Amino acid sequence: MANQISGASSQPRFMRKERFFLVGAQRYTDNGQASIVQAWDELLERLDEIPDRSEPAVMIGFEDYSRGCELVPGQMPKFHYIAAAEVDRITDVPDGLFSKEVQEAEYAVFSLRGPLSNISGLFRYIYDEWLPASEYRLDPQMMADFEYYREPVNDRNDARVDIYIPIVPK
């Protein structure tokens, strides 16, 4: 299916990512995609308030499945989403924003180069096809994944994003 998603990789590259820190706007996705858009809108409005940003151009969309996750067949999952900037350390988190420490982990990394609207199809491929057929499972210590944006998305039809899935052997 991934080869049918324009600009998506069907096979991941594997890498270990060290512990890192995030500060951003959090929403629960009970309102579907609109909740995610609201988180990004708030982050972008408040980005200059976040101290100690590691790389100003790097943004992360963090999907936290460890609390309040609801999976209903045929519907978008409900989970906590954080639109965030990576920071060198967590200090002076602005009121109303959320901080998160992400532990070191091994990741399967999938890339998408093209329409941002294809990201949901790539997530479906990863969780419905690739992960079950692979020799890996989602790392139960993480119960999360994230989108890594190396550059701002100025054109939603020409986005560049990597999806990091924390994995452990089955």
Side-chain angles (χ1 to χ4, degrees):
M1 179 171 164
N3 55 2
Q4 297 172 350
I5 300 169
S6 176
S9 61
S10 62
Q11 292 302 311
R13 65 185 189 281
F14 297 92
M15 67 174 288
R16 185 154 204 82
K17 183 166 175 51
E18 303 215 359
R19 176 181 74 152
F20 62 100
F21 306 98
L22 303 173
V23 172
Q26 178 177 254
R27 295 290 187 282
Y28 185 67
T29 62
D30 56 352
N31 195 19
Q33 287 293 120
S35 301
I36 293 172
V37 171
Q38 290 169 354
W40 281 108
D41 288 347
E42 181 179 355
L43 173 68
L44 295 174
E45 286 174 15
R46 301 190 62 193
L47 193 58
D48 290 337
E49 297 175 41
I50 299 172
D52 302 316
R53 283 186 280 151
S54 300
E55 298 180 50
V58 173
M59 299 291 161
I60 293 176
F62 191 87
E63 291 92 3
D64 184 349
Y65 309 124
S66 69
R67 55 197 171 98
C69 184
E70 291 182 39
L71 301 173
V72 177
Q75 295 181 13
M76 180 178 161
K78 295 178 184 173
F79 53 87
H80 286 88
Y81 185 92
I82 308 166
E86 188 171 354
V87 295
D88 293 329
R89 61 194 153 277
I90 296 174
T91 57
D92 301 323
V93 177
D95 286 343
L97 294 183
F98 185 82
S99 65
K100 175 91 177 159
E101 178 179 341
V102 182
Q103 295 302 314
E104 180 177 1
E106 186 73 28
Y107 292 92
V109 182
F110 294 82
S111 296
L112 175 67
R113 304 291 182 257
L116 197 55
S117 60
N118 289 345
I119 201 166
S120 61
L122 182 53
F123 271 109
R124 277 193 306 276
Y125 165 75
I126 293 167
Y127 282 104
D128 293 347
E129 295 182 37
W130 183 83
L131 201 56
S134 77
E135 53 196 66
Y136 303 99
R137 62 186 173 108
L138 186 65
D139 184 341
Q141 299 298 313
M142 293 276 295
M143 295 306 296
D145 56 44
F146 62 91
E147 308 148 23
Y148 187 88
Y149 298 89
R150 295 180 188 279
E151 56 192 50
V153 177
N154 296 319
D155 180 354
R156 293 183 60 82
N157 290 313
D158 187 27
R160 301 188 192 295
V161 59
D162 291 324
I163 297 174
Y164 283 66
I165 308 296
I167 54 169
V168 295
K170 287 182 180 172

